[in-house]
Amino acid sequence: MSCNSDTERAAAASASQSSSSPLLTPQDHQSAGAPAAEVAEPPVFDSSSSIVTNSEDNPSPPSTELEIPIVWPPDGKLSLNWIRNLMSVFDWASRNLEPTQLPDVFPVEVFDSLVLCASKILHKEPNCVAIDNLGSESTVVVVGDLHGQLHDLLFLLHDAGFPSENRFFVFNGDYVDRGAWGLESFLILLAWKVFFPRTVYLLRGNHESKYCTSVYGFEKEVVTKYSDRGKHVYRKCLGCFEGLPLASIIGKHVYTAHGGIFRHMPATPKRSKGKKNRKIAFNPEPSSLSIGSFEELNKARRSVLDPPWEGSNLIPGDVLWSDPSMTPGLSPNKERGIGLLWGPDCTDNFLKKFQLKIT
């Protein structure tokens, strides 16, 4: 199960190529004919008008004022009410504040604490997470590209129900770029990951990279919102991206990844003595390509800002950038410049080889 439908190229881009979605202002969210009102104090929280709390699965708390600015819990332990407030504050801020006012509601110090806490959890997870602790009453929600659509994320959580001991979520990457609220969306997911580390899983997409975020808007979004601290926030996000797992297997039979199938990597040729400084670029011939194993996937080095398109660590690029094809066989993805194209026969072989039912 993959969700990689982009048409970007993996070639290096110059800084002047950077293009991004415009950061929306409060006026962009006014309904037709409605005047643009001045930014007011945070309203009293009314659950009947908030999509993040009004559902049978997510009982609404008593009406209360939003807690602004967000404060990190003194004991360092997140609560459901803390996450509810975070979502409601981000929702309100997206409709009432300028992007540059985000630090007023979510200070850098709170950002640092959340990212540090989440990164410690993510970096300990394997490249391919096994989600096996499912009971008879468990449900699993697999989510594709969010691309900074905060309000879609809030609606999804409302509609499907919040994560719980029996409601699992697997987010398949591409949290940022293109949309105006990539940072807020990613932070909400990190909060849920910290609160429910064994029922919320965040996989990496091809946009969780330095290349994509510098070209498709996320870097500009973060620097715009956090101004002189923007580069710091952006670097912390990149470090967190490096820790995101690459794939998952749900209930032993469902494989999910942002891109898809990955190759077998033959042993890397050894350097001759006295040639330590000579770089060896090792790319298997297309005719020798074959499907890799999960042992190889878990041994791959995912802690890279941009998955390499050449060398001995090609599996991360395959998992994040590969595309399905109607042409049988396994071949280099020449259109993207990274990853693979795999045909229906490869899907069948992959499922049979690893006793899977869905990919």
Side-chain angles (χ1 to χ4, degrees), residues 34 65 93 105 240:
E65 290 186 6
V105 299
C240 192

Side-chain angles (χ1 to χ4, degrees), residues 74-90:
D75 61 0
K77 296 180 180 179
L78 300 189
S79 66
L80 182 57
N81 284 338
W82 192 93
I83 299 177
R84 283 182 188 271
N85 184 63
L86 177 70
M87 294 192 296
S88 295
V89 168
F90 281 168

